[in-house]
């Protein structure tokens, strides 16, 4: 590490201070999955109280994910430039304020806007915290620290649905947001007392044109995918949004190739392992993350479980993340990280194929084993990803590294959620059309399309209102076929991701580099 490039605000620090700083970052990281899984479990209750169209309800999840993913790259660059602790603390403070405001939201529009603000704050906290950890720990200690960070996500994902179900059942859906704010306060106190501030003194300013073009491109792409089920993929509005997104992504690449201190160092894409890490970042979106939204809707709205019961069932898919990320870290003594990650994705694909065989008529006992296998598969790469992300860049650019990796991960998740919602609605529309084909007065195409959107959200009552001639058994069968077809698609994507991981990340064992030249050691 080039000591003249790091501005350290605090002198020599004890091991206890470093560990408490790690705890602060892990607690903040714990809030992220809670902010994701909690609203997914609360969605039916939110819809009943605040109403809203299918598109407005989908933004409860997508507003958070889009702003989270779109701002991570900017937040990482800001952390390197103005100070990692400053960015972390600012993010946690805004996150706490947004969470408390969400617990008092009076309309679906206010809820969506506050979720967007919460996503921006979460991006700042995660990028600043991850970059700070890379300055406090080195070598094997850094690997263990980032394994703890990954395990914190695992704890949030494992207990998030159960906690949300308990809070909803006893205190209503608003308490879900108040709970994350309380955790954020603890993280804020620990970080204020124990975290040191540092920055990259070689940084001269933020690449605002690059930041604006990238964020706008990502927003337009996600919005186009969300609009597609309503307007059609070939509609002028969707095609126009997609075209604008492509132009802005092109502008972003052009800007990054010309500015002195780019938001994203495109030269890193020369290295195979850096490319492989980005594939790895996006892979869990289709094998795991989308299920955290789809399965609570199925369990509560389609199969009739209560919020607490659904949360308990969801524990099966996330419980492995409590232990296996640490186990994966230990396995790197004997196997390459790429091999472990690839095998994990193959296991997750097998679990998805099993899940596809379980229609809604099955009991929870039938789907729990499939969910558990998916969780086991995803847990193997989960604890290795963050450490790999910072191993291919100079230490003083750790904020950029975590920003790129987490942007790929979270932006991939937001796009995956939008794509999966569109595909599920399309499959549901096909099923509903087949189910109503024999009716004396077949429903209009617009009614079928709207009913399919509501069915993808689990709103059986709205579907029955739009298609009054459709009996309940046929409705459930239509949903079951659509869900199974979608899971088959997810399994295929997961297997393809495993092939890419084996190709890019298994030629050499990972090594922690402290300079750009060191990336060669992990590239080929």
């Amino acid at each position: 590490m080039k000591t003249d490039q790091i501005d350290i605000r605090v002198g020599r620090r004890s091991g206890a201070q470093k560990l408490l700083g790690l705890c602060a970052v892990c607690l903040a990281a714990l809030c992220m999955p809670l902010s994701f899984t909690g609203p997914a479990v609360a969605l039916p209750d939110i819809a009943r109280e605040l109403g809203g169209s299918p598109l407005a309800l989908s933004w409860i999840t997508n507003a958070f994910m889009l702003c989270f993913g779109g701002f991570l790259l900017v937040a990482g660059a800001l952390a390197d430039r103005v100070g990692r602790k400053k960015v972390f603390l600012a993010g946690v403070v805004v996150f706490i304020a947004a969470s408390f405001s969400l617990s008092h939201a009076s309309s679906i529009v206010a809820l969506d806007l506050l979720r967007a603000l919460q996503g921006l704050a979460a991006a700042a906290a995660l990028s600043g915290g991850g970059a700070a950890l890379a300055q406090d720990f080195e070598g094997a200690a850094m690997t263990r620290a980032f394994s703890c960070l990954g395990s914190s996500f695992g704890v949030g994902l494992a207990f998030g649905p159960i906690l949300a179900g308990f809070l909803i059942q006893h205190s209503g859906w608003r308490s879900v947001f108040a709970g994350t704010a309380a955790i954020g306060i603890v993280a804020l106190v620990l970080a204020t007392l124990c975290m040191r501030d540092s920055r990259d003194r070689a940084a001269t300013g933020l690449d605002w044109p690059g930041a604006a073009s990238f964020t706008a491109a990502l927003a337009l792409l996600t919005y186009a995918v969300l609009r597609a089920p309503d307007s059609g993929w070939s509609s002028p509005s969707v095609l126009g949004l997609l075209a604008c997104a492509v132009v802005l992504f092109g502008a972003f690449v052009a800007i990054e190739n010309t500015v002195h201190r780019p938001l994203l160092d495109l030269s890193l894409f020369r290295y195979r392992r850096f490319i492989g890490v980005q594939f790895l970042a996006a892979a869990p979106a289709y094998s795991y993350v989308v299920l955290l939204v789809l399965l609570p809707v199925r369990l509560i709205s389609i199969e009739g479980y209560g919020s607490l019961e659904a949360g308990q069932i969801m524990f099966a898919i996330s419980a492995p993340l409590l232990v296996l990320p640490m186990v994966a870290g230990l396995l790197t003594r004997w196997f390459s990280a790429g091999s472990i990650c690839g095998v994990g994705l193959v296991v997750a694909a097998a679990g998805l194929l099993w899940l596809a065989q379980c229609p809604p008529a099955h009991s929870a006992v039938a789907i729990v084993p499939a969910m558990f296998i998916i969780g086991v598969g995803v847990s193997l790469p989960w604890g290795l990803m963050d450490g790999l992300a910072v191993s291919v860049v100079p230490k003083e650019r750790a904020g950029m590294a975590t920003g790129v990796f987490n942007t790929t991960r979270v932006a991939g998740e937001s796009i995956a959620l939008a794509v999966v919602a569109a595909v599920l609605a399309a499959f549901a529309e096909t099923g509903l059309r087949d189910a109503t084909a024999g009716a004396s007065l077949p429903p209009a195409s617009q009614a079928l399309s709207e009913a399919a959107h509501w069915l993808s959200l689990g709103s059986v009552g709205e579907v029955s209102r739009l298609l009054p001639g459709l009996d309940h058994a046929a409705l459930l069968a239509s949903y079951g076929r659509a869900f199974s077809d979608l899971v088959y698609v997810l399994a295929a994507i997961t297997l393809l991701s495993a092939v890419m991981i084996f190709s890019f990340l298994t030629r050499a064992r990972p090594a922690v580099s402290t300079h750009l030249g060191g990336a060669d050691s992990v590239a080929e």
Side-chain angles (χ1 to χ4, degrees):
M1 181 179 69
K2 299 178 181 179
T3 56
D4 60 328
Q5 288 185 318
I6 305 296
D7 180 19
I8 302 175
R9 302 291 184 184
V10 180
R12 189 173 183 86
R13 301 167 67 242
S14 67
Q17 286 178 307
K18 292 182 180 181
L19 288 176
L20 288 174
L22 172 61
C23 289
V25 177
C26 288
L27 282 173
L30 180 65
C31 294
M32 312 309 167
L34 292 177
S35 299
F36 177 72
T37 57
V41 176
L43 187 61
D45 294 83
I46 294 173
R48 280 192 292 270
E49 180 175 335
L50 299 183
S53 67
L55 185 60
L57 291 170
S58 69
W59 276 107
I60 294 173
T61 298
N62 284 293
F64 177 84
M65 296 300 291
L66 176 60
C67 292
F68 190 16
F71 191 62
L72 279 166
L73 202 58
V74 179
L78 280 173
D80 285 336
R81 284 158 175 75
V82 305
R84 284 114 187 176
K85 180 178 180 179
K86 291 186 181 71
V87 170
F88 176 80
L89 292 178
V92 174
V93 168
V94 176
F95 181 88
I96 293 169
S99 298
F100 273 125
S101 298
L102 280 163
S103 66
H104 295 87
S106 58
S107 69
I108 195 69
V109 174
L111 195 72
D112 288 344
L113 292 175
L114 286 169
R115 285 285 283 168
L117 179 62
Q118 193 183 39
L120 293 174
L126 183 60
S127 292
L133 291 183
Q135 311 307 314
D136 272 350
F137 299 94
E138 295 184 2
M142 186 173 71
T143 300
R144 290 192 295 270
F146 278 100
S147 292
C148 290
L149 186 62
S151 295
S152 299
F153 275 92
V155 170
L157 291 172
F159 290 103
I162 296 176
L163 177 61
F166 176 82
L167 291 173
I168 292 166
Q169 184 167 307
H170 290 86
S171 305
W173 63 265
R174 297 177 184 277
S175 61
V176 171
F177 298 107
T180 57
I183 298 173
I185 290 173
V186 179
L188 179 65
V189 172
L190 284 176
T192 301
L193 296 175
C194 302
M195 184 180 288
R196 73 173 175 125
D197 203 5
S198 63
R199 65 183 178 89
D200 179 5
R201 299 191 66 182
T204 56
L206 184 64
D207 174 21
W208 289 111
S213 58
F214 176 82
T215 304
L218 183 61
L220 291 176
L221 175 61
T222 306
Y223 186 56
V225 176
L226 287 171
R227 282 289 302 268
D230 286 316
S231 305
W233 287 98
S234 59
S235 68
S237 60
V238 172
L239 291 177
L241 288 168
L242 291 174
C244 290
V246 171
V247 170
L248 285 170
F249 275 124
F252 172 70
V253 172
I255 291 168
E256 300 310 280
N257 279 320
T258 57
V259 297
H260 175 62
R261 292 284 293 185
L263 192 67
L264 171 60
D265 185 357
L266 297 176
S267 67
L268 290 172
F269 287 95
R270 297 198 305 258
Y271 304 110
R272 290 180 59 85
R273 293 193 66 82
F274 184 82
I275 296 173
V277 165
Q278 308 317 310
F279 278 114
L280 180 60
Y286 295 92
S287 58
Y288 176 71
V289 174
V290 296
L291 295 177
L292 299 178
V293 175
L294 294 176
L295 285 172
V297 170
R298 168 176 163 166
L299 292 169
I300 296 171
S301 299
I302 301 297
E303 303 198 40
Y305 290 98
S307 298
L308 181 57
E309 291 175 302
Q312 292 170 337
I313 296 170
M314 288 296 296
F315 184 71
I317 198 171
S318 299
L321 274 81
L322 296 174
V323 177
L324 289 185
M326 290 292 188
V327 174
L330 295 175
L331 289 175
T332 55
R333 297 179 181 179
W334 302 282
F335 307 99
S336 73
S339 298
I340 296 170
C341 294
V343 169
L345 292 177
V346 171
V347 173
L352 287 165
L353 291 173
W354 187 345
L355 180 63
Q357 309 300 314
C358 304
H362 281 53
S363 68
V365 176
I367 66 171
V368 163
M371 293 167 61
F372 183 78
I373 289 175
I374 295 169
V376 167
V378 171
S379 296
L380 293 177
W382 199 272
L384 303 176
M385 296 191 297
D386 294 274
L388 282 170
V390 297
S391 69
V392 293
V393 298
K395 192 171 182 179
E396 62 269 16
R397 301 300 301 279
M400 187 270 299
T402 57
V404 173
F405 172 76
N406 286 311
T407 294
T408 303
R409 176 162 59 183
V410 180
E413 290 168 359
S414 64
I415 294 172
L417 286 167
V419 169
V420 164
V423 172
L424 181 59
F427 285 154
E429 184 172 353
T430 300
L432 291 174
R433 182 175 290 107
D434 293 340
T436 57
S440 56
L441 290 173
S445 178
Q446 182 61 35
L448 270 176
S449 178
E450 187 176 351
H453 297 157
W454 282 114
L455 185 58
S456 67
L457 291 172
S459 185
V460 177
E462 288 294 328
V463 178
S464 299
R465 179 183 63 81
L466 292 165
L467 305 176
L470 185 66
D471 65 84
H472 189 70
L475 189 154
L476 290 182
S478 298
Y479 179 88
R481 285 194 298 273
F483 188 90
S484 293
D485 290 344
L486 174 64
V487 175
Y488 279 125
V489 173
L490 298 180
I493 294 173
T494 302
L495 281 174
L496 179 60
S497 299
V499 171
M500 301 302 294
I501 298 308
F502 281 123
S503 174
F504 283 91
L505 290 178
T506 58
R507 291 193 175 189
R509 292 178 63 84
V512 177
S513 63
T514 58
H515 53 84
L516 266 179
D520 291 326
S521 65
V522 294
E524 289 287 344

